[in-house]
Amino acid sequence: MTDKLDLRRLATGVPGLDTILGGGLPELSFNIIGGAPGSGKTTFAQQIMFGLAAPDRKALFFTAMGEPPVKMLRYQQQFSFFDFDKIGSSIEFISLAPQVEEGNYDAVLAQILEQVRLHKPALVFIDSFRSFVEGARGEQTEIAELQTFVQKLVAHMTTWRATSFLIGEYTNNEADRNPIFTVADGIIWLSQYVQRNTMSRKIQVVKIRGQKQRPGLHPFRIDRDGIEVFARILPGAAPLGARPPVPLPPPRLSTGVPTLDDMLDGGIPAGYTVLIVGPTGSGKTMLATEFLAAGAANGETGVIALFERSPAQMMNEKLDRLVSTGRVSMLSVRALDLSTDEMLHELIGRIDSTGATRVVLDSLSGFEMALAPEYREDFRDSLYRLTAVLATKGVTIVMTSEMEDRFHELRFSPYGSGVLVDAVIVQRYVELQCELRTLIGVVKVRGSKHSRQLRDFAITDTGIEIGDTAAPYDGVLLGNAQLRGG
């Protein structure tokens, strides 16, 4: 036999799941869906079932729980994937609870086999398979009967002309000693993590035969549409339809402030990542808005992600006009359980749908606060992945970051992110005759010369104004040195 057998892959209908499976679910495979109570296993399984079931692909859903199927369906029908028209035609729900409660495993197996023979399904689900195990914690004879039942059931499931699933409250430790995990073609694990007052959910494809899954833990979210998986996006191969690399040397893009363009030796190189850092109220968001407005004036579109304020709180007429005219797409993210990958998927989706070439993240401080606690712990790694992935899209990125101005020290980021970006613009406060004045300077532009001057920065009725040089501020301590003029 030399002909290669191609395994057909089924599109599961769960957003993001096919990506981490390596292209879809192998047809006729035997799969285990495991996880702790409340992790979303039943919702996950039924979303797959409703997505795949059709008149020519019937599904059987066996329930081994004590509660009747109607009670389970009462809650599952709240999800948008639930289709009443498929019940009784493409999907059948069958309760195994009476036989399970009696401990009559021969009757359970006979019921399953009879229903499979009668309906000839293409999809078979058994939920919760763990109920069999929990019901056999007595005599050794009963445990032996259960093991025999499991072996027979699994043997039948692996030979059915159906894609089958066992659903149960398994733990990771059981995978090492439970024989059913050895014969399974696919093992999918759902987990939930509670830290402080937030909860995050993750999914892992532990095993999938015949194809390469995407390794690691991937965040997912449950809402009214069901489960959505946010596959981890890693630097390297250009993800999600990346654009070709920017030619070298890259063209310069205007910041929207001519004097700042001069300080940058002609503007921001296209494709660069720029960090604007300064104390609260120094004008970082205004600078970012001018950057987007300059792009709009040149026929470009942009995306801005707001992590600190809602659109109603912006009080920025220029940004409002850019959004209302469609030149800028706005994301407002203020969740406290966000994952880096969820935000990346949303951001990349907006970039692709709008053709944006300029992106603003306002601000990194707010982004960190929007993340679930476990992601905040490795925020620097998240920043590296974020900037590296967006760089493959060919967009030019401006990120703002709030930094406490202590006057006696000069810092550019609380995350040590200066090495992760291509350019750094810093804003500082100085005190002059009982008045706070703002200075701006360019600290870094990779591969390019730039101004080393600190200059006056002001927001006026006509917009942003930057002086030719900074006025002399005698006696003001700044960056461990006296600033005595331009």
Side-chain angles (χ1 to χ4, degrees):
M1 180 177 178
T2 57
D3 294 337
K4 180 180 178 180
L5 178 63
D6 291 326
L7 291 175
R8 183 183 176 192
R9 296 175 180 176
L10 304 176
T12 61
V14 179
L17 178 59
D18 294 345
T19 299
I20 68 172
L21 285 172
L25 192 69
E27 191 175 31
L28 308 182
S29 58
F30 163 49
N31 306 278
I32 293 175
I33 300 173
S39 57
K41 300 181 301 300
T42 299
T43 300
F44 180 72
Q46 292 205 13
Q47 190 170 350
I48 293 175
M49 179 176 67
F50 277 96
L52 290 174
D56 59 344
R57 188 192 288 143
K58 294 188 176 181
L60 293 184
F61 197 97
F62 293 97
T63 60
M65 299 173 288
E67 62 182 12
V70 67
K71 181 179 179 181
M72 175 184 59
L73 295 179
R74 184 184 306 153
Y75 296 100
Q76 292 299 313
Q77 66 185 259
Q78 305 304 315
F79 294 107
S80 64
F81 64 75
F82 192 94
D83 188 348
F84 282 99
D85 294 336
K86 290 187 176 183
I87 306 298
S89 57
S90 300
I91 296 173
E92 294 286 346
F93 287 89
I94 301 166
S95 176
L96 300 173
Q99 294 88 351
V100 173
E101 291 173 358
E102 294 174 3
N104 189 341
Y105 301 119
D106 289 337
V108 172
L109 184 59
Q111 170 78 328
I112 293 174
L113 295 179
E114 174 60 20
Q115 293 297 329
V116 170
R117 184 195 64 79
L118 181 64
H119 293 280
K120 296 180 174 56
L123 304 163
V124 178
F125 298 80
I126 301 179
D127 182 20
S128 156
F129 187 72
R130 180 72 175 187
S131 300
F132 298 121
V133 179
E134 295 297 330
R137 293 198 171 175
E139 301 292 335
Q140 291 296 321
T141 302
E142 187 177 5
I143 296 176
E145 291 175 354
L146 171 65
Q147 291 175 341
T148 301
F149 161 76
V150 170
Q151 292 170 359
K152 290 180 179 179
L153 176 62
V154 170
H156 283 290
M157 294 184 78
T158 56
T159 58
W160 290 338
R161 298 290 298 174
T163 308
S164 52
F165 303 83
L166 292 183
I167 307 157
E169 287 79 31
Y170 300 104
T171 64
N172 285 318
N173 293 334
E174 285 186 81
D176 298 330
R177 61 179 185 271
N178 196 321
I180 68 172
F181 291 93
T182 303
V183 297
D185 301 308
I187 302 174
I188 303 173
W189 227 267
L190 281 67
S191 309
Q192 56 184 359
Y193 304 86
V194 177
Q195 188 173 2
R196 299 175 187 171
N197 289 325
T198 63
M199 181 183 70
S200 58
R201 302 177 187 269
K202 294 184 180 180
I203 185 172
Q204 179 185 11
V205 180
V206 179
K207 171 185 179 182
I208 192 79
R209 282 178 173 159
Q211 58 199 50
K212 182 180 179 181
Q213 76 268 34
R214 185 169 295 190
L217 297 171
H218 308 272
F220 72 93
R221 188 175 291 274
I222 302 178
D223 56 23
R224 293 301 296 270
D225 293 326
I227 286 175
E228 181 176 2
V229 178
F230 303 98
R232 293 182 69 238
I233 303 176
L234 300 174
L240 303 180
R243 300 174 187 149
V246 177
L248 296 176
R252 299 277 179 152
L253 305 181
S254 174
T255 63
V257 183
T259 307
L260 182 57
D261 290 344
D262 292 339
M263 296 171 68
L264 291 164
D265 195 37
I268 300 171
Y272 269 34
T273 299
V274 182
L275 177 66
I276 301 176
V277 59
T280 183
S282 59
K284 300 182 296 298
T285 301
M286 291 294 293
L287 270 176
T289 301
E290 294 295 338
F291 169 71
L292 293 172
N298 195 41
E300 302 175 61
T301 56
V303 173
I304 182 170
L306 301 176
F307 296 101
E308 294 182 351
R309 290 160 288 187
S310 66
Q313 295 173 316
M314 281 301 296
M315 300 294 290
N316 188 325
E317 293 183 4
K318 179 171 287 189
L319 183 58
D320 288 342
R321 287 197 302 270
L322 292 171
V323 173
S324 63
T325 57
R327 303 310 304 176
V328 171
S329 178
M330 180 183 291
L331 291 173
S332 181
V333 185
R334 302 186 72 191
L336 296 177
D337 60 351
L338 190 69
S339 71
T340 305
D341 291 285
E342 184 174 352
M343 198 280 292
L344 261 177
H345 275 265
E346 180 74 9
L347 193 56
I348 289 175
R350 291 293 182 95
I351 292 170
D352 288 342
S353 64
T354 63
T357 56
R358 301 189 182 210
V359 176
V360 168
L361 305 181
D362 185 31
S363 68
L364 296 185
S365 313
F367 177 34
E368 182 185 22
M369 291 302 299
L371 293 173
E374 63 180 292
Y375 295 103
R376 296 178 203 167
E377 294 174 359
D378 59 352
F379 186 63
R380 191 169 185 270
D381 293 339
S382 297
L383 275 183
Y384 167 73
R385 194 152 59 90
L386 182 148
T387 55
V389 169
L390 289 181
T392 66
K393 304 296 293 179
V395 297
T396 306
I397 307 161
V398 167
M399 306 186 296
T400 69
S401 180
E402 183 173 332
M403 174 61 66
E404 179 184 357
D405 197 333
R406 300 178 182 175
F407 296 94
H408 63 281
E409 64 180 53
L410 189 61
R411 299 170 64 203
F412 306 130
S413 170
Y415 318 108
S417 53
V419 298
L420 305 180
V421 299
D422 303 297
V424 177
I425 299 171
V426 64
Q427 294 175 298
R428 300 300 307 266
Y429 284 141
V430 294
E431 181 183 348
L432 178 65
Q433 298 177 348
C434 298
E435 180 184 7
L436 280 180
R437 303 284 290 272
T438 307
L439 303 182
I440 188 170
V442 178
V443 175
K444 166 187 175 182
V445 180
R446 182 168 288 143
S448 171
K449 65 179 181 178
H450 58 87
S451 171
R452 291 285 183 179
Q453 292 181 322
L454 286 171
R455 303 193 180 192
D456 284 307
F457 176 94
I459 298 174
T460 69
D461 293 339
T462 58
I464 292 176
E465 294 184 0
I466 297 178
D468 293 334
T469 59
Y473 296 97
D474 290 337
V476 176
L477 190 64
L478 180 66
N480 292 327
Q482 298 288 339
L483 177 64
R484 297 186 180 277

